[in-house]
């Protein structure tokens, strides 16, 4: 099993320095961004597409630090109703498959996307719990008219190049839990589209990630190591909490998500928070998580995604790495 990190949290550092940080924490796997919501400073895409020597040199940087490039990450919204976002993110996913194949990397991590509620809609609409048949109409449109046709194209490209697409089951996407992942796999007759098992997004939905692993079986292609802490506020407001704030694109620290959109401000006294591995669930839980993944694939890559806002850049990575390595008995 490879244990490493997604390097997006180290985008302020050149790739060799970022890899040295990960190696210094005892990790041996790296996942780098290849498009979508955020830039890709650790992946010289044009050079890789153009030159075999550039590909060799690039992979040599990882080898020189005792690291393996185990996945590309292209999280975005390829189904967005705004064409400026949709066309870029969709093209980035298809390009990422080609780049991965050229590099000999067999995994691309991404999100399934979210369309509007109808063909005339202008903003994404996450449609859950369709107890009113109007929402079944939304579901039918989003899946049959938008999601399934796009993901058939992805499946074809991935199968042609023998690259596995690992979808992060992320709320605010059409695929957000095992049932929706299986719906997509069945609808497109997938051979190369499956799941990335990121427990953090499952925890706050009330899903037990280890049971999800057992349920999905061989469809789990890749894994993330990110924890979630459920806070006391959840006892009052539950986990579906809309108290997020607007961040203007010109504000200091604003994170753009494509087009005019930005990452919203997290609620004060939130119902739940993303935290470093071990700060939401104990070491025994993480041992069980790694064992479940290893049963599926002894070569599974598990990469830390550091989004703990209470810990600094290196502090959070180091904390997560220590727990993950201890859970693996290293």
């Amino acid at each position: 099993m490879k244990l490493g990190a997604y390097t997006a949290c180290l985008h302020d550092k050149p790739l060799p320095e970022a890899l040295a940080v990960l190696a210094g924490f005892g990790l041996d796997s790296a996942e780098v961004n290849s498009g979508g919501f955020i830039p890709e400073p650790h992946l010289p895409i044009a050079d890789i597409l153009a030159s075999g020597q550039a590909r060799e040199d690039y992979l040599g940087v990882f080898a020189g630090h005792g690291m393996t490039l185990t996945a590309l990450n292209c999280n975005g919204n390829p189904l967005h109703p705004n064409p400026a976002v949709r066309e870029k993110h969709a093209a980035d996913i298809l390009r990422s498959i080609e780049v991965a194949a050229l590099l000999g990397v067999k995994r691309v991590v991404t999100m399934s996307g979210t369309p509007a509620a109808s063909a005339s809609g202008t903003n994404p609409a996450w449609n859950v719990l369709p107890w009113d048949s109007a929402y079944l109409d939304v579901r039918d449109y989003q899946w049959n008219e938008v999601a399934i046709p796009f993901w058939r194209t992805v499946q074809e490209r991935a199968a042609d190049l023998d690259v596995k697409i690992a979808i992060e089951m992320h709320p605010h996407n059409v695929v957000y839990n095992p049932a929706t992942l299986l719906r997509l796999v069945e609808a497109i007759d997938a051979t190369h589209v499956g799941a990335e098992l990121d427990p953090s997004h499952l925890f706050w939905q009330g899903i037990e990630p280890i049971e999800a692993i057992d349920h999905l079986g061989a469809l789990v292609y890749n894994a993330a190591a990110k924890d979630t802490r459920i806070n006391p506020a959840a006892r009052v407001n539950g986990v579906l909490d809309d108290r997020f704030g607007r961040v203007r694109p010109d504000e200091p620290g604003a994170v753009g998500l494509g087009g005019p959109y930005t990452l919203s401000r997290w609620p004060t006294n939130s119902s739940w928070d993303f935290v470093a591995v071990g700060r939401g669930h104990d070491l025994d839980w993480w041992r069980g998580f790694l064992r479940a993944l290893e049963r599926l694939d002894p070569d599974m890559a598990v990469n830390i995604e550091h989004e703990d806002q209470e810990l600094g850049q290196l502090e959070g990575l180091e904390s997560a790495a220590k727990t993950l390595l201890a859970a693996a008995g290293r």
Side-chain angles (χ1 to χ4, degrees):
M1 178 172 280
K2 293 286 188 184
L3 302 180
Y6 175 34
T7 65
C9 63
L10 296 171
H11 273 180
D12 62 323
K13 305 180 189 306
L15 178 62
E17 187 178 340
L19 295 177
V21 168
L22 301 186
F25 291 150
L27 301 171
D28 59 9
S29 167
E31 181 177 319
V32 301
N33 205 66
S34 59
F37 287 132
I38 61 175
E40 54 278 351
H42 290 165
L43 186 67
I45 291 173
D47 293 345
I48 288 167
L49 290 172
S51 163
Q53 185 60 55
R55 296 191 284 273
E56 236 179 90
D57 292 345
Y58 180 69
L59 292 171
V61 177
F62 292 85
H65 288 86
M67 306 290 291
T68 301
L69 176 60
T70 53
L72 304 185
N73 188 304
C74 193
N75 279 333
N77 187 353
L79 310 181
H80 203 294
N82 183 330
V85 180
R86 178 181 68 250
E87 290 170 11
K88 177 189 183 301
H89 291 187
D92 285 354
I93 291 173
L94 295 173
R95 182 188 64 184
S96 294
I97 297 169
E98 182 181 357
V99 172
L102 288 171
L103 290 171
V105 175
K106 292 299 184 180
R107 300 289 184 270
V108 172
V109 177
T110 189
M111 293 175 184
S112 57
T114 316
S118 68
S120 60
T122 58
N123 286 310
W126 187 38
N127 183 53
V128 294
L129 201 64
W131 60 271
D132 177 331
S133 64
Y135 297 101
L136 290 174
D137 295 340
V138 172
R139 188 183 71 186
D140 289 347
Y141 165 74
Q142 291 185 324
W143 280 83
N144 298 336
E145 303 300 321
V146 187
I148 291 172
F150 173 74
W151 281 98
R152 280 198 180 115
T153 299
V154 174
Q155 156 64 25
E156 289 169 6
R157 177 75 61 89
D160 285 345
L161 295 174
D162 193 24
V163 172
K164 295 291 183 74
I165 307 302
I167 293 179
E168 184 174 354
M169 295 177 284
H170 193 301
H172 281 234
N173 286 260
V174 293
V175 171
Y176 58 90
N177 63 7
T180 48
L181 188 283
L182 288 168
R183 181 187 302 158
L184 182 64
V185 165
E186 291 166 5
I188 64 173
D189 296 318
T191 58
H192 284 67
V193 175
E196 186 205 33
L197 209 299
D198 179 343
S200 66
H201 300 291
L202 303 184
F203 282 138
W204 71 260
Q205 295 183 74
I207 298 168
E208 171 45 62
I210 295 172
E211 292 187 31
I213 292 169
D214 293 339
H215 184 69
L216 291 171
L219 284 171
V220 177
Y221 294 157
N222 201 72
K226 188 170 72 170
D227 211 340
T228 300
R229 181 185 63 217
I230 307 299
N231 298 325
R235 296 175 64 84
V236 176
N237 292 317
V239 296
L240 298 177
D241 186 351
D242 76 345
R243 295 173 299 134
F244 287 72
R246 187 176 300 278
V247 177
R248 298 190 314 275
D250 59 350
E251 284 187 45
V255 177
L257 297 177
Y261 312 108
T262 61
L263 186 67
S264 301
R265 185 171 290 108
W266 200 259
T268 302
N269 189 27
S270 54
S271 291
W272 51 271
D273 291 296
F274 294 131
V275 292
V277 175
R279 287 182 14 96
H281 294 78
D282 64 18
L283 186 61
D284 281 345
W285 189 90
W286 285 97
R287 285 193 187 102
F289 179 70
L290 295 183
R291 281 197 299 266
L293 292 169
E294 196 166 29
R295 285 196 297 270
L296 290 181
D297 180 2
D299 296 322
M300 180 78 66
V302 184
N303 292 319
I304 294 163
E305 188 174 1
H306 174 33
E307 292 185 6
D308 191 324
Q309 298 303 305
E310 297 168 356
L311 299 179
Q313 179 193 56
L314 299 184
E315 180 189 15
L317 265 178
E318 183 175 22
S319 174
K322 283 180 176 176
T323 304
L324 196 62
L325 290 165
R330 298 184 189 173

